[in-house]
Amino acid sequence: MDITIAYFHSLHHPDIVKQDFEQIRATGAGSIVYAIHEQEAQRWPRDLERGLRQAQDANLKVHLSLGRYGNLFAGPAFIPSWYTFHHPDSRVMDRHGRYHDISCYNHESFRSWLFKEIEHYLRNFPLNGILFDEPRGPDVTCFCSVCRALCPDVADLQRFRLRSMVDFLGELCACIKRVDAHAKTTVVLLPQELGQVEELAALPHLDTIGGHLFWQLLREDVEIVEQWGRSIVEVTRRHQKRSQLWLQNFNMGNGEEQALESAFKQIVGLEPDEVAGYYYWRNNEDPCRVWQSTRGLLRSIPRRQLHWQKTVWSHRQEGK
Ligand SMILES: [Zn+2]
């Protein structure tokens, strides 16, 4: 079982970043997720390059998440996409002719821009993979001229929207593998989108399917984590894909530690390929305590499970 930690913090101060990565590494984590927003690579490419290099120097693999690109993905900063702002004609249009602030992924210009962005990151920064965080698609059926031309049967547009989202994610993953055959691809879904797992698992260039099992944020009983997680683990196993189950260790009030521990035990009990969580993420009543609890829980994963994965991994490497 591998451990992945989302690091949604500034890379400007190298000494602090170094200490943070050492702490993350000490939990047994092998990877971080860093989320980038469109303007960052333009404004502080040196910080980005140095920060991500620091992660790799600390033996942490780096997975880059494209925060709010085209307003299609989730991202730590709640800011709109520059691309969508500058290309209002790329927006999704609903059946009433109203525009929504999401770029339609069937627009060729949007796709080629996004492919170029990904290629730029893979070629110029130290990365081990790309992660697509909560891709938005089926919640609004698009009636734009491009979608209408691709799917002339109006009654089929809703299903077409979902099909074309899976195609779009498949193409993104294929684009990543063309640029760097060793780069890993991940799509992480919210529980309400778990119906897509089966179709995504059939994508040949997608390596990992994750789930944000955020019971508390979604006002569910903590016991639901097991059910959500199982639906990912079972499908990914059948398709020889990796599973990544996310612990909600943010937005925690005091007194919710027991639920945190319960969610973690349910996740680990499912034996996913990866368990994931956050480093000091938002809105905890006692941020230090939540991180200490997370650290303790991650360290409670039997070492032999972590060791077993490493052995298999090194054998695979030798076999190459
Ligand atoms: Zn459209």
Side-chain angles (χ1 to χ4, degrees):
M1 201 178 304
D2 290 334
I3 300 169
T4 295
I5 298 289
Y7 187 76
F8 293 164
H9 299 269
S10 162
L11 299 173
H12 297 336
H13 194 320
D15 291 346
I16 292 173
V17 170
K18 184 166 185 283
Q19 285 167 20
D20 290 351
F21 288 164
E22 278 165 7
Q23 273 207 59
I24 290 172
R25 185 71 188 124
T27 64
S31 303
I32 61 156
V33 174
Y34 181 80
I36 188 160
H37 291 273
E38 285 166 47
Q39 58 274 37
E40 290 179 29
Q42 296 163 25
R43 301 198 68 194
W44 51 84
R46 290 192 191 107
D47 298 304
L48 187 61
E49 211 279 338
R50 185 191 54 243
L52 301 183
R53 182 78 59 203
Q54 281 184 284
Q56 289 189 337
D57 289 346
N59 277 327
L60 291 162
K61 294 195 172 74
V62 178
H63 298 264
L64 191 73
S65 164
L66 302 175
R68 307 205 184 265
Y69 275 63
N71 293 325
L72 265 181
F73 309 108
F78 207 52
I79 51 169
S81 160
W82 277 110
Y83 181 91
T84 311
F85 180 75
H86 286 298
H87 301 84
D89 52 324
S90 75
R91 287 174 302 168
V92 162
M93 189 178 78
D94 68 20
R95 65 178 71 238
H96 308 291
R98 282 184 307 227
Y99 283 103
H100 292 251
D101 284 331
I102 321 166
S103 286
C104 173
Y105 39 67
N106 288 321
H107 281 243
E108 212 40 63
S109 50
F110 171 69
R111 287 166 95 103
S112 61
W113 168 75
L114 192 57
F115 292 167
K116 273 191 202 128
E117 285 285 300
I118 291 172
E119 188 176 356
H120 170 73
Y121 288 127
L122 286 171
R123 292 204 194 283
N124 296 289
F125 294 94
L127 296 176
N128 303 92
I130 302 282
L131 180 143
F132 300 104
D133 199 352
E134 302 177 0
R136 277 186 74 185
D139 53 340
V140 190
T141 300
C142 186
F143 283 68
C144 80
S145 57
V146 177
C147 288
R148 294 283 299 272
L150 290 168
C151 178
D153 179 5
V154 176
D156 193 38
L157 269 175
Q158 198 176 349
R159 269 171 304 179
F160 167 75
R161 179 95 183 131
L162 184 57
R163 279 202 308 274
S164 55
M165 185 183 86
V166 174
D167 286 350
F168 164 68
L169 291 171
E171 264 199 50
L172 284 172
C173 294
C175 153
I176 292 163
K177 300 285 183 183
R178 274 198 304 275
V179 179
D180 178 357
H182 300 293
K184 300 295 175 198
T185 53
T186 306
V187 172
V188 184
L189 301 171
L190 275 170
Q192 54 265 40
E193 315 288 354
L194 289 180
Q196 299 165 17
V197 174
E198 193 76 47
E199 280 180 277
L200 289 174
L203 292 174
H205 300 293
L206 177 60
D207 298 307
T208 303
I209 300 177
H212 279 163
L213 314 182
F214 301 158
W215 86 94
Q216 184 251 27
L217 208 63
L218 297 165
R219 298 168 199 278
E220 294 280 355
D221 193 278
V222 69
E223 302 304 321
I224 203 163
V225 166
E226 206 266 346
Q227 183 193 321
W228 286 339
R230 183 177 296 282
S231 63
I232 296 174
V233 171
E234 282 180 354
V235 178
T236 47
R237 261 186 211 147
R238 208 168 349 104
H239 289 266
Q240 274 104 47
K241 303 285 187 191
R242 286 172 64 83
S243 54
Q244 183 184 70
L245 303 186
W246 285 78
L247 175 71
Q248 190 201 320
N249 62 339
F250 62 91
N251 202 47
M252 290 281 123
N254 286 340
E256 288 186 288
E257 309 245 321
Q258 244 178 341
L260 187 70
E261 189 176 337
S262 165
F264 182 80
K265 286 192 170 149
Q266 291 174 63
I267 288 174
V268 172
L270 291 163
E271 299 190 356
D273 297 295
E274 285 178 44
V275 52
Y278 296 81
Y279 181 72
Y280 282 95
W281 188 222
R282 67 181 162 86
N283 206 35
N284 286 317
E285 201 164 343
D286 187 343
C288 294
R289 213 161 83 183
V290 171
W291 173 245
Q292 294 308 332
S293 303
T294 305
R295 214 156 69 147
L297 291 169
L298 291 172
R299 282 183 174 159
S300 74
I301 298 174
R303 294 293 104 178
R304 66 185 160 75
Q305 281 192 32
L306 292 171
H307 178 68
W308 177 81
Q309 277 292 341
K310 280 199 190 95
T311 315
V312 172
W313 176 250
S314 61
H315 283 200
R316 275 191 204 144
Q317 294 289 305
E318 282 160 23
K320 266 185 186 168

